Amino acid sequence: MVRTRVAPSPTGDPHVGTAYMALFSYCYAKQHGGQFLLRIEDTDTARSTAKSEQAIIDSLHWLGLDWDEGPDCGGSKGPYRQSERLPVYQEYAEQLLENDHAFHCFCTAERLQQMRAEQKQNGQTARYDGLCAGLSAQQVTERKAAGAESVIRMKVPSEGVCIVEDALRGSIEIEYAQIDMQVLVKADGFPTYHLAVVVDDHLMEISHIIRGEEWINSAPKHQLLYGYFGWQMPELIHMPLLRNPDKSKLSKRKNPTSISFYKDMGYLPEALLNYLGMLGWSMPGGEERFSLDDMIDQFDISRISLGAPVFDVTKLKWLNGRWLREVLDEDGFAARLSEWVYNRDKLMQIIPLVKERVDVFSDLGKMISFFVEGMPDLGPDDFDYKGAVTEQQVKVLQFSLWLMEGDIDWHSSALQQGLVALAEAMDMKIRDFLKPLFIAVSGKPVSPPLFDSLVVLGPEISRGRLRHALAVLGGVSKKKLKKLDSEFKTLS
RNA sequence: GUCCCCUUCGUCUAGAGGCCUAGGACUCCAGGUUUUCAUCCUGGCAACGGGGGUUCGAAACCCCCAGGGGACGCCA
């Protein structure tokens, strides 16, 4: 039985890279008549949020990548949220300890940092030096009794070569000496990714792991753990990483990476999926427009190319256009359009903002057009008003963007509070402060109330517009960004 | 720095030793259709990273180099 999974961590916006892995995992499972599951990897207590988990679930459902088992729908191998499986990991960590495959480690962060720095300086791979590996049971007990914090690390052979099989690349050889004695259980008692993923994939009977290439280097650790437990290793399929136009790993600083951004911009889920499918994979017949079902029918991992593809929004846009005009008839188009923006929920959000400002319906057009625009059509001239200082505007926009990228509740009052506080910290009148934001967000010097508008637009589009405005104003150099960053930090 | 992965037009890709004077698509340019624009159609620009092998024959196989990317966390 083929069983695949996608296992995102609920930190921040749901990423197109997650959708990419989910798509390939889904296709592989479905093609083989197997199951696809969703597991939430929330073992990082500091960064995981329920909000993010919900956003991931919503985004993947929007795309139509539905799972057979998961935290929202249950299943026989649950729970599917790692924070709810703590006793399970504890049991297996205990087992490793008993069989001498793991050990307690009391090293401090400072010591580890120093050790790594020295190793790197000596041209070695940074790796735990094994100081605590030889501690006796008695020593461990004593130190614990004395209240010392500790973690559990896995043991790794000091010699030899580990060979992991990748379904796309064949054998990959990595010397054990290169492999770190990974922490398996943190001081807070939570497992790290490495322990949790192995235990869960085995218990959930995952047969094929489709994940990003970034994981290749930790595959030996996982294989070692499978060996320690006496479990069968699943097939490994490492997908190439999606990249920014500058070839670095796809990141939100350089490219919109959030699935909801594309949803809010008015892309069709079918088109996004289709585009993701053509990155690193192609239909045997060379068709560029294909549906999820087409992909499942024709899927074949031997058609995956290994060069990491650049996520090119221009081509995605063209593809979306094809779906819009070639696949949808007029009824379908109308249905999708109202689903996107002219739905009742959205209108009910917008109406309170414009009702007082309108005499006849025909006044409405120019007032609300910015709610349905992607990026407003802006030029530097639009920021040229009485008393305008570009330098200052850039600062306002960049600082506001950072504020909005932070952990802020996307509600009118929270946004108002945050921005007003920022204006005060910058010693600016709120009116002057808000002006460039109005222009950036609405494309006009006047618009319905800003904070409420931001809420209607949503975080993705709002941030996108601020970035767009910054670019219109000439962009911010790396050097300047650094300077602004330190200034921003002193303010907040 | 150490280790790992990758390498065909600017970008996404086809290519499983002869069908390759390397095909398609996006972008861009030129032309046509269209009252405008868009769509659509036609055409054009543009690539096998370099060097060694193997072979009658290499974009494809092997080796070296270079370039790019990734990993080196009590993040995932």
Side-chain angles (χ1 to χ4, degrees):
Chain A
M1 178 57 80
V2 170
R3 283 167 64 87
T4 63
R5 47 63 169 184
V6 64
S9 66
T11 54
D13 303 319
H15 199 274
V16 288
T18 304
Y20 186 57
M21 297 313 154
L23 170 64
F24 282 80
S25 301
Y26 180 89
C27 286
Y28 192 81
K30 292 300 152 187
Q31 190 192 37
H32 291 88
Q35 282 108 38
F36 168 63
L37 27 170
L38 171 70
R39 183 175 66 227
I40 297 295
E41 310 234 320
D42 56 350
T43 52
D44 184 347
T45 48
R47 297 199 307 146
S48 298
T49 65
K51 194 169 87 181
S52 172
E53 176 187 314
Q54 192 54 50
I56 288 168
I57 290 175
D58 292 344
S59 293
L60 292 176
H61 275 316
W62 174 70
L63 286 168
L65 297 171
D66 299 324
W67 41 95
D68 300 289
E69 299 168 30
D72 56 336
C73 60
S76 59
K77 306 283 189 290
Y80 296 90
R81 201 176 277 119
Q82 292 187 324
S83 59
E84 293 169 10
R85 303 172 59 82
L86 265 24
V88 178
Y89 310 123
Q90 204 165 29
E91 178 193 335
Y92 286 102
E94 213 50 57
Q95 189 183 321
L96 290 174
L97 246 17
E98 273 167 31
N99 298 331
D100 201 29
H101 289 133
F103 59 93
H104 292 278
C105 172
F106 295 88
C107 292
T108 61
E110 295 73 52
R111 188 185 104 76
L112 294 173
Q113 198 183 358
Q114 195 189 346
M115 175 196 77
R116 289 181 189 123
E118 279 172 21
Q119 288 168 331
K120 283 194 186 183
Q121 199 150 38
N122 296 334
Q124 296 165 303
T125 299
R127 180 182 193 257
Y128 183 65
D129 60 5
L131 182 72
C132 294
L135 254 33
S136 68
Q138 197 191 342
Q139 284 172 304
V140 170
T141 316
E142 280 171 13
R143 291 175 76 159
K144 283 205 161 187
E149 266 200 348
S150 70
V151 300
I152 298 174
R153 284 180 189 276
M154 68 185 286
K155 287 198 171 174
V156 176
S158 49
E159 291 179 354
V161 176
C162 179
I163 299 174
V164 293
E165 289 299 325
D166 177 89
L168 304 176
R169 283 160 260 257
S171 303
I172 297 171
E173 299 187 10
I174 299 177
E175 287 187 46
Y176 281 117
Q178 295 295 330
I179 302 165
D180 199 8
M181 297 179 214
Q182 184 65 49
V183 170
L184 298 177
V185 179
K186 310 177 211 179
D188 66 4
F190 272 63
T192 58
Y193 169 82
H194 302 281
L195 206 220
V197 78
V198 167
V199 168
D200 287 348
D201 281 339
H202 176 258
L203 261 23
M204 294 180 185
E205 297 175 12
I206 299 302
S207 61
H208 299 256
I209 298 176
I210 298 179
R211 54 158 41 153
E213 197 177 13
E214 54 194 327
W215 294 109
I216 289 181
N217 285 293
S218 23
K221 292 171 193 170
H222 304 164
Q223 191 163 82
L224 227 29
L225 289 174
Y226 276 94
Y228 291 160
F229 288 123
W231 295 338
Q232 202 205 333
M233 183 77 183
E235 286 269 333
L236 257 26
I237 300 167
H238 290 100
M239 295 294 296
L241 251 28
L242 264 22
R243 301 205 244 179
N244 295 309
D246 71 359
K247 309 275 188 177
S248 56
K249 177 169 152 180
L250 193 64
S251 65
K252 70 175 172 190
R253 302 272 171 246
K254 298 173 182 172
N255 214 47
T257 58
S258 158
I259 300 170
S260 18
F261 174 84
Y262 294 96
K263 175 172 185 266
D264 294 347
M265 280 295 280
Y267 287 86
L268 254 23
E270 294 92 325
L272 217 209
L273 232 34
N274 184 172
Y275 181 64
L276 255 12
M278 70 161 67
L279 294 180
W281 187 79
S282 59
M283 289 283 273
E287 301 88 346
E288 294 206 279
R289 201 198 76 214
F290 51 88
S291 67
L292 183 57
D293 284 341
D294 296 334
M295 186 163 170
I296 292 168
D297 278 349
Q298 301 295 324
F299 194 63
D300 177 359
I301 60 167
S302 74
R303 294 193 66 81
I304 293 174
S305 47
L306 295 175
V310 170
F311 190 93
D312 177 14
V313 184
T314 308
K315 189 152 186 180
L316 166 60
K317 202 173 175 203
W318 162 81
L319 225 208
N320 196 69
R322 282 194 62 182
W323 275 87
L324 245 29
R325 68 183 92 90
E326 293 174 14
V327 181
L328 297 181
D329 58 14
E330 294 186 5
D331 273 340
F333 193 101
R336 293 307 196 88
L337 178 61
S338 27
E339 207 177 296
W340 178 60
V341 66
Y342 294 118
N343 60 63
R344 201 165 169 81
D345 282 354
K346 196 100 170 192
L347 279 178
M348 291 310 281
Q349 278 186 282
I350 295 174
I351 286 168
L353 308 183
V354 295
K355 192 162 166 271
E356 293 171 43
R357 294 174 167 74
V358 78
D359 294 319
V360 288
F361 287 147
S362 52
D363 286 341
L364 230 43
K366 58 181 185 297
M367 209 175 283
I368 62 170
S369 62
F370 78 99
F371 284 122
V372 297
E373 279 173 354
M375 292 302 133
D377 189 14
L378 283 173
D381 292 352
D382 293 296
F383 290 91
D384 191 13
Y385 49 86
K386 191 166 168 269
V389 182
T390 306
E391 194 80 354
Q392 183 79 323
Q393 291 176 317
V394 166
K395 201 186 273 190
V396 167
L397 291 169
Q398 183 63 65
F399 286 3
S400 302
L401 175 59
W402 278 329
L403 182 81
M404 292 183 200
E405 281 175 343
D407 186 26
I408 186 165
D409 272 328
W410 208 259
H411 300 303
S412 183
S413 56
L415 288 164
Q416 172 168 13
Q417 204 177 18
L419 289 168
V420 166
L422 184 55
E424 275 168 13
M426 290 172 72
D427 202 21
M428 283 180 75
K429 272 200 224 158
I430 190 72
R431 174 192 293 266
D432 299 333
F433 176 87
L434 255 23
K435 188 105 175 176
L437 289 174
F438 265 102
I439 298 170
V441 170
S442 70
K444 306 173 186 69
V446 288
S447 80
L450 183 68
F451 309 123
D452 296 298
S453 299
L454 291 172
V455 173
V456 175
L457 288 167
E460 294 311 322
I461 298 290
S462 302
R463 292 172 193 143
R465 290 196 183 173
L466 296 198
R467 291 188 194 110
H468 178 65
L470 282 164
V472 164
L473 282 171
V476 187
S477 70
K478 235 180 190 162
K479 198 173 152 196
K480 190 163 172 199
L481 206 60
K482 214 170 160 185
K483 203 179 137 219
L484 287 178
D485 183 51
S486 57
E487 192 179 334
F488 181 66
K489 285 196 174 118
T490 62
L491 291 178
S492 46

